[in-house]
Amino acid sequence: MARVSQEHLDARRRQILAGAARCFARNGFHGTSMQDVLKEVGLSAGAVYRYFSGKDDLIAAIADEAFGSIRRAFEEAAELTPPPTPDRLLGRVLRGVFDRQVYGMERRVCAALILQVWAETMGNERLAKTLDDGYTGMRAAWGKLVDAYRAAGLMRADVPADDVARTLIAAAQGFIAQEALFGGVEPEVLENGLRGLMSMGPAKSS
């Protein structure tokens, strides 16, 4: 029997995840059955179960990719020298996440799927662990970035680095939530808003 290449195995796994993601984005996690996934990808049950044990396994794999995509975008941006200011950095991160066109889905659909994943973690310990690991990694990456800002004389030293990291991550999460709920939220909106807040200074006396 001919040996199947790793490239073929990876492509088939990707095909299954893409089909499952489309189903979940369309019908929600709880409204999607394994039969729906099989129909979407056009494969037999045996072919799919070779890669995934069931729907929970598919959800976990999609969640891991979603979190990993965001984490990698943060880490890549944080490694730039000199470090870009927060407005430019967050814009770069969000473009990186959505320009990857996860599973070939449009930006709003992708954002909606990420929101579903976040909601699912509330009652799923496996997904919660995946989310916690990803969040911890992002906080560490931003903490290093804050150190770089301070070394460059761009940021005051009396605010805890983790507080800054969590606030910037919250801004990115809020952008994703707005895109999922309302659509049409361009990264430039977040960049401009942050730039405006960063420009604030003491009020001038008349």
Side-chain angles (χ1 to χ4, degrees), residues 13-56:
R13 183 179 186 277
R14 188 76 179 169
Q15 175 190 354
I16 296 167
L17 284 177
R22 290 193 298 270
C23 288
F24 293 144
R26 192 164 56 235
N27 304 317
F29 290 134
H30 299 288
T32 298
S33 67
M34 282 302 291
Q35 286 300 317
D36 294 328
V37 174
L38 297 178
K39 183 177 179 181
E40 182 75 22
V41 299
L43 296 173
S44 67
V48 172
Y49 285 113
R50 177 181 182 179
Y51 298 87
F52 302 99
S53 62
K55 190 168 76 169
D56 285 348

Side-chain angles (χ1 to χ4, degrees), residues 13 17 24 29 34 49 51-65 67-68 71 116-135:
R13 183 179 186 277
L17 284 177
F24 293 144
F29 290 134
M34 282 302 291
Y49 285 113
Y51 298 87
F52 302 99
S53 62
K55 190 168 76 169
D56 285 348
D57 204 20
L58 281 167
I59 295 171
I62 289 171
D64 191 52
E65 287 209 10
F67 299 146
R71 184 176 63 251
Q116 287 190 58
V117 169
W118 289 344
E120 191 69 14
T121 63
M122 302 299 291
N124 186 313
E125 290 185 5
R126 181 179 177 184
L127 291 186
K129 177 65 166 56
T130 299
L131 177 62
D132 185 65
D133 289 346
Y135 184 54

Side-chain angles (χ1 to χ4, degrees), residues 97-109:
V97 170
F98 291 119
D99 287 351
R100 285 187 173 100
Q101 286 288 304
V102 180
Y103 304 123
M105 294 186 293
E106 295 180 357
R107 187 174 69 188
R108 186 173 183 182
V109 177

Side-chain angles (χ1 to χ4, degrees), residues 80-202:
L80 297 175
T81 304
T85 53
D87 56 321
R88 292 174 52 213
L89 186 58
L90 277 180
R92 181 187 178 96
V93 165
L94 291 167
R95 289 187 184 90
V97 170
F98 291 119
D99 287 351
R100 285 187 173 100
Q101 286 288 304
V102 180
Y103 304 123
M105 294 186 293
E106 295 180 357
R107 187 174 69 188
R108 186 173 183 182
V109 177
C110 176
L113 183 61
I114 291 173
L115 235 61
Q116 287 190 58
V117 169
W118 289 344
E120 191 69 14
T121 63
M122 302 299 291
N124 186 313
E125 290 185 5
R126 181 179 177 184
L127 291 186
K129 177 65 166 56
T130 299
L131 177 62
D132 185 65
D133 289 346
Y135 184 54
T136 299
M138 284 190 287
R139 284 169 63 183
W142 275 96
K144 292 179 182 178
L145 185 67
V146 171
D147 290 339
Y149 284 150
R150 288 175 175 165
L154 299 174
M155 183 174 287
R156 49 194 285 180
D158 61 342
V159 178
D162 190 56
D163 290 1
V164 178
R166 294 177 68 166
T167 299
L168 292 172
I169 291 169
Q173 291 172 322
F175 176 94
I176 292 172
Q178 285 191 25
E179 177 61 30
L181 295 171
F182 311 114
V185 185
E186 298 296 332
E188 288 81 2
V189 172
L190 182 60
E191 289 176 325
N192 290 337
L194 284 173
R195 194 173 298 120
L197 291 172
M198 290 161 55
S199 69
M200 292 177 65

